[in-house]
Amino acid sequence: MSRELKFRLRNLQKPQWFIRFSANGLDVNENVLNELRRLESHIVVFTVTGSLRTGKSWILNQLAECGVENGFGVADGQTAVTSGIWILCREHPILNCVVVFLDTEGLHDPFKTNTEQEDNRLSTLSFLLSDKFIFNAKDKFDNNDLGKIGFIAMISKKLQQREAQESFPEFILLLRDVSRVKVKGKVVEPKEYLENILESAGPDDCRFSPKWCVREYCKKRACFTLTQPTEFEDLSELGETDHPELKARFLEDKEKFKNYLFRNSDIKRLNNGSPYTTSAFCEYTRALVATVEDGAIPNVSSLQQRIAEEENQRVWKETTELFRNSIRDDEKTNLYGSPTERFKVLQKEGIERIQNQMIPQSQQHMSEIVEEFKVFSEEEYKKLSTEKCREFLTCHLETCFNMIEDNCYMAPNAKEKFERDVRKVKEKYDKKENLGPEVCYEKVNVWNEKEREIRKKMKELELVDLRYELHSAETANKEEKDHLDQRIKRMEAEVNEQKLEMARKAQELEQKRNNEKLELEQERRRNEFEFEMKTIELQKQLRQQEDKMHDREVRINEKEAALTKAVEEIKESQTMQMQRESDAKVVSSLVDGISLIGAAAITALGNLGDDSE
């Protein structure tokens, strides 16, 4: 890794929050994104997730070789230390790239509200951002743990099979505090243990269950065990990665796991195999967060394609601008010696920048982009060289031309004096350090262009010489004088014709420059129009999303109103039922009372009858 990249990496050496929940929803740390963009490097992403208080942050510190002062926060107790997703970067010990470690907050925190929804969103983000997704489990991997990776099934249902297989990272199960694993009472390798769990049938083993999705879509899988690192219950007391209390067996297991991660890792790639740059990773992160925040599952392939196109346009624009400005600065200051060598250096730097930062669709696509940049750089240098040559000659020849206008050559042998001054300019032009024949593409052509103008000026000076000849031949015979007059008239006609031709050429040149300005203005307006159209389209999509959210809220409100109404109806029905039951009891009591009164009356009447007898 270059010294410059190490220097840019310094601000990411300590952990800081990357993605978290706020009052407005999911937030991304812009400072982290800016630091990642500055790296201009390839990356590989390791993520650790799992239940609350299972030592995720501590094992990440072990992998990243972090101590107490510069590692992820760890603590004892049931209170979560990590909130959201945190990030820390290190140099890759083997590949020429940067390792991004992502630490996620513990799943199913009992002290949080709306835990399942937040867990699913954070887990979806960390899963789709990862190259190696490490699930940290204590002692064993059971149905309870499978339920915590239910978000994988949720993602799988929204993606095509091929897209899921290309987008899903390697799934690594890390069993903590165990030295051996068994299947049906038999000690087996950790990988066999994982495969047996994924293959075993159960009540929840159906299509798009977490077990099925990991088995079908995470084609790369691995499993490792880590024995208990120490007798201490509080791992936060250990801190340093080389603490003397760590068991030798744990250190051996950790080294085996660490070697696997780094030796079997590759730089992060798009689904088409093209490598990610840190800038593309930042845009991918931002787009993922926006999509997940809306409650949707991203179409990873289309998202990657859009980001790749935007990144390629950005890199092309920045590279061409940098090349153009560098060439112009070099021509002005000549800080680097010969512009020819400097041109080759800058062209090579531009090609390396394109190869390192662009995301090509294929190797052929990259070759086409490189050839396009070579053509651009040569045309740009040709244009600049022509401008410099023309600027130099215009500046120095203008003095000679002005002397003609000021009648400074109005003496015998005027043409010879003018030719002498022009030769001096030509000598300076040939010796000009920045405009040597091996440097300027158009040096000869520019001189030839100016030479035509010089010849036209010489015609005027020939006329001056002829006039002096005429003046000296006034004593000669009339025939010779008439001959000279005719020559003068012809020369005057040629000079006037040349002046008209020069005026016409100057007008054409001015018209050409105006047309170029007009084309540039039209292109600027087209770009502004395209930008406005894209803005309008984005605003339209935003309004559509807002309308969908509004419709969703309306439907939810309607359902809540219907539910409230149903509850009120049930309560009213229950009240009426209770009233009816109460009325029935009263009627029943009245009937019983009347029956008793009737029986008493009958008895009394019977007694009266007996008395009358």
Side-chain angles (χ1 to χ4, degrees):
M1 183 173 290
S2 68
R3 182 179 301 176
E4 183 180 359
L5 180 56
K6 291 181 179 179
F7 177 76
R8 292 198 298 263
L9 189 61
R10 70 191 189 284
N11 292 331
L12 294 168
Q13 294 283 346
K14 288 189 176 182
Q16 48 195 309
W17 74 270
F18 186 36
I19 301 171
R20 68 182 179 187
F21 283 98
S22 67
N24 298 323
L26 283 168
D27 283 344
V28 184
N29 192 336
E30 291 295 332
N31 292 332
V32 171
L33 294 183
N34 292 333
E35 292 295 335
L36 282 172
R37 288 191 187 94
R38 291 178 64 247
L39 295 179
E40 296 182 357
S41 169
H42 295 140
I43 59 172
V44 57
V45 184
F46 297 163
T47 300
V48 174
T49 190
S51 299
L52 183 72
R53 307 304 304 140
T54 54
K56 302 182 300 301
S57 301
W58 189 80
I59 195 62
L60 267 180
N61 290 340
Q62 295 289 311
L63 296 175
E65 298 184 352
C66 297
V68 176
E69 299 297 329
N70 61 348
F72 292 106
V74 295
D76 193 16
Q78 294 301 313
T79 304
V81 175
T82 305
S83 178
I85 300 176
W86 283 59
I87 188 171
L88 180 147
C89 296
R90 287 285 187 271
E91 303 171 33
H92 197 290
I94 300 173
L95 303 176
N96 184 24
C97 70
V98 172
V99 183
V100 176
F101 293 97
L102 297 182
D103 186 18
T104 62
E105 69 176 65
L107 301 175
H108 296 186
D109 188 343
F111 299 100
K112 288 179 58 178
T113 58
N114 201 20
T115 303
E116 184 175 358
Q117 184 179 7
E118 290 189 3
D119 284 352
N120 284 336
R121 290 185 177 184
L122 289 176
S123 299
T124 299
L125 288 172
S126 61
F127 187 75
L128 293 177
L129 289 173
S130 302
D131 297 300
K132 293 189 180 296
F133 185 79
I134 305 166
F135 187 86
N136 189 71
K138 293 281 281 186
D139 303 328
K140 60 182 180 303
F141 188 60
D142 53 20
N143 289 332
N144 186 37
D145 293 317
L146 284 168
K148 293 174 183 176
I149 58 173
F151 63 90
I152 298 179
M154 182 176 62
I155 299 172
S156 303
K157 292 178 181 178
K158 300 293 184 179
L159 302 179
Q160 298 292 330
Q161 180 177 358
R162 180 177 178 182
E163 183 185 7
Q165 291 176 348
E166 292 173 343
S167 307
F168 282 11
E170 179 180 1
F171 182 86
I172 301 176
L173 174 62
L174 182 62
L175 294 174
R176 301 288 297 280
D177 300 344
V178 295
S179 57
R180 296 181 303 173
V181 288
K182 296 181 179 180
V183 174
K184 297 179 180 179
K186 179 183 177 182
V187 176
V188 296
E189 292 295 323
K191 180 66 181 296
E192 185 179 348
Y193 171 81
L194 173 61
E195 295 302 319
N196 181 267
I197 291 176
L198 297 179
E199 293 292 340
S200 61
D204 298 326
D205 187 20
C206 58
R207 183 177 175 84
F208 289 119
S209 66
K211 185 187 299 186
W212 184 90
C213 292
V214 172
R215 186 174 66 237
E216 291 296 319
Y217 296 142
C218 295
K219 293 303 181 181
K220 290 185 177 180
R221 298 187 293 271
C223 181
F224 289 87
T225 59
L226 289 178
T227 189
Q228 189 173 357
T230 177
E231 300 299 330
F232 294 157
E233 294 183 0
D234 183 6
L235 296 179
S236 64
E237 294 181 3
L238 294 177
E240 293 82 0
T241 58
D242 56 349
H243 196 282
E245 296 296 335
L246 293 176
K247 292 180 179 179
R249 177 62 183 276
F250 171 81
L251 294 175
E252 181 182 345
D253 290 346
K254 184 196 75 171
E255 198 63 25
K256 182 179 179 182
F257 177 50
K258 186 176 178 180
N259 286 337
Y260 175 84
L261 287 179
F262 289 115
R263 294 185 183 279
N264 292 276
S265 59
D266 188 15
I267 58 176
K268 189 172 186 62
R269 297 181 182 275
L270 282 76
N271 288 352
N272 64 4
S274 301
Y276 262 95
T277 60
T278 49
S279 179
F281 177 72
C282 291
E283 295 306 315
Y284 180 59
T285 300
R286 193 193 301 278
L288 271 181
V289 169
T291 306
V292 173
E293 174 65 16
D294 290 337
I297 300 299
N299 186 324
V300 179
S301 296
S302 61
L303 191 63
Q304 290 181 349
Q305 183 177 0
R306 177 173 64 81
I307 290 172
E309 292 173 355
E310 293 175 354
E311 278 298 294
N312 288 346
Q313 291 175 4
R314 182 191 63 80
V315 173
W316 176 264
K317 182 178 179 181
E318 291 181 356
T319 305
T320 52
E321 284 295 327
L322 180 63
F323 176 85
R324 185 183 292 112
N325 295 336
S326 300
I327 283 290
R328 290 187 180 276
D329 291 342
D330 181 62
E331 285 290 321
K332 291 177 182 178
T333 59
N334 194 30
L335 295 175
Y336 301 95
S338 171
T340 297
E341 294 303 320
R342 182 60 179 160
F343 165 76
K344 293 178 181 178
V345 170
L346 292 175
Q347 187 185 55
K348 182 180 178 181
E349 289 177 354
I351 292 173
E352 290 177 351
R353 181 183 176 89
I354 286 174
Q355 291 174 336
N356 292 334
Q357 296 191 31
M358 276 198 174
I359 308 173
Q361 299 174 0
S362 62
Q363 188 61 40
Q364 182 180 358
H365 183 213
M366 174 57 76
S367 300
E368 292 173 355
I369 296 174
V370 170
E371 288 301 319
E372 186 178 354
F373 179 77
K374 288 181 180 179
V375 172
F376 161 81
S377 58
E378 291 172 0
E379 289 295 329
E380 190 66 24
Y381 192 75
K382 178 179 178 181
K383 178 181 176 182
L384 180 61
S385 299
T386 302
E387 289 177 2
K388 289 295 179 181
C389 291
R390 189 175 287 119
E391 179 183 339
F392 178 86
L393 288 179
T394 300
C395 177
H396 288 77
L397 289 176
E398 192 68 25
T399 303
C400 299
F401 295 162
N402 289 338
M403 290 176 66
I404 295 176
E405 299 296 330
D406 295 338
N407 296 324
C408 295
Y409 291 108
M410 295 302 291
N413 300 322
K415 179 182 177 183
E416 183 180 347
K417 294 178 181 178
F418 177 75
E419 287 178 336
R420 184 177 63 247
D421 292 341
V422 170
R423 277 197 301 273
K424 291 180 180 178
V425 173
K426 181 67 163 59
E427 288 174 0
K428 291 181 180 178
Y429 182 65
D430 290 340
K431 293 179 181 179
K432 182 67 177 171
E433 183 179 3
N434 284 353
L435 301 174
E438 76 284 359
V439 173
C440 179
Y441 287 91
E442 294 295 304
K443 183 174 181 182
V444 176
N445 292 337
V446 173
W447 173 257
N448 292 338
E449 174 188 310
K450 289 294 182 180
E451 196 172 34
R452 288 192 290 271
E453 190 174 351
I454 292 170
R455 284 198 296 269
K456 293 174 184 178
K457 294 293 183 181
M458 285 183 177
K459 288 289 185 182
E460 299 181 23
L461 295 177
E462 284 182 14
L463 181 59
V464 172
D465 288 341
L466 285 173
R467 284 173 178 162
Y468 275 103
E469 288 181 25
L470 177 61
H471 180 72
S472 61
E474 285 180 352
T475 57
N477 58 42
K478 188 176 182 303
E479 182 179 352
E480 185 177 356
K481 183 178 180 181
D482 291 341
H483 177 68
L484 289 174
D485 284 338
Q486 290 176 1
R487 285 187 63 190
I488 289 172
K489 289 179 181 178
R490 286 197 301 273
M491 292 296 296
E492 286 178 343
E494 290 180 3
V495 169
N496 291 334
E497 183 178 349
Q498 290 174 358
K499 286 184 177 180
L500 291 173
E501 179 67 18
M502 289 176 64
R504 185 181 64 79
K505 289 283 183 66
Q507 186 177 3
E508 289 178 355
L509 182 60
E510 184 65 24
Q511 182 65 34
K512 182 178 179 182
R513 289 176 179 173
N514 291 336
N515 291 339
E516 289 177 352
K517 289 181 180 179
L518 181 61
E519 289 177 359
L520 289 174
E521 180 64 20
Q522 290 175 347
E523 183 178 0
R524 183 183 66 79
R525 290 179 179 177
R526 281 196 301 271
N527 292 337
E528 289 179 352
F529 176 76
E530 290 176 358
F531 178 77
E532 289 177 359
M533 293 302 295
K534 288 182 178 179
T535 302
I536 292 172
E537 180 64 24
L538 290 174
Q539 290 175 347
K540 181 180 177 181
Q541 293 177 3
L542 179 60
R543 285 195 298 271
Q544 290 176 351
Q545 289 291 338
E546 290 176 348
D547 292 341
K548 289 181 180 178
M549 292 297 293
H550 177 69
D551 293 341
R552 188 183 302 170
E553 290 177 358
V554 170
R555 289 195 297 271
I556 291 173
N557 291 336
E558 289 176 352
K559 289 181 179 179
E560 289 179 350
L563 182 60
T564 303
K565 184 178 178 181
V567 170
E568 290 177 353
E569 289 177 353
I570 292 171
K571 289 182 178 178
E572 184 178 354
S573 176
Q574 291 176 345
T575 302
M576 292 177 64
Q577 181 66 26
M578 292 173 64
Q579 184 64 37
R580 284 196 296 269
E581 291 177 355
S582 177
D583 292 343
K585 289 180 180 179
V586 171
V587 171
S588 177
S589 299
L590 290 174
V591 171
D592 291 341
I594 293 170
S595 299
L596 291 173
I597 293 170
I602 292 171
T603 304
L605 289 174
N607 292 333
L608 287 175
D610 294 338
D611 291 342
S612 63
E613 290 179 359

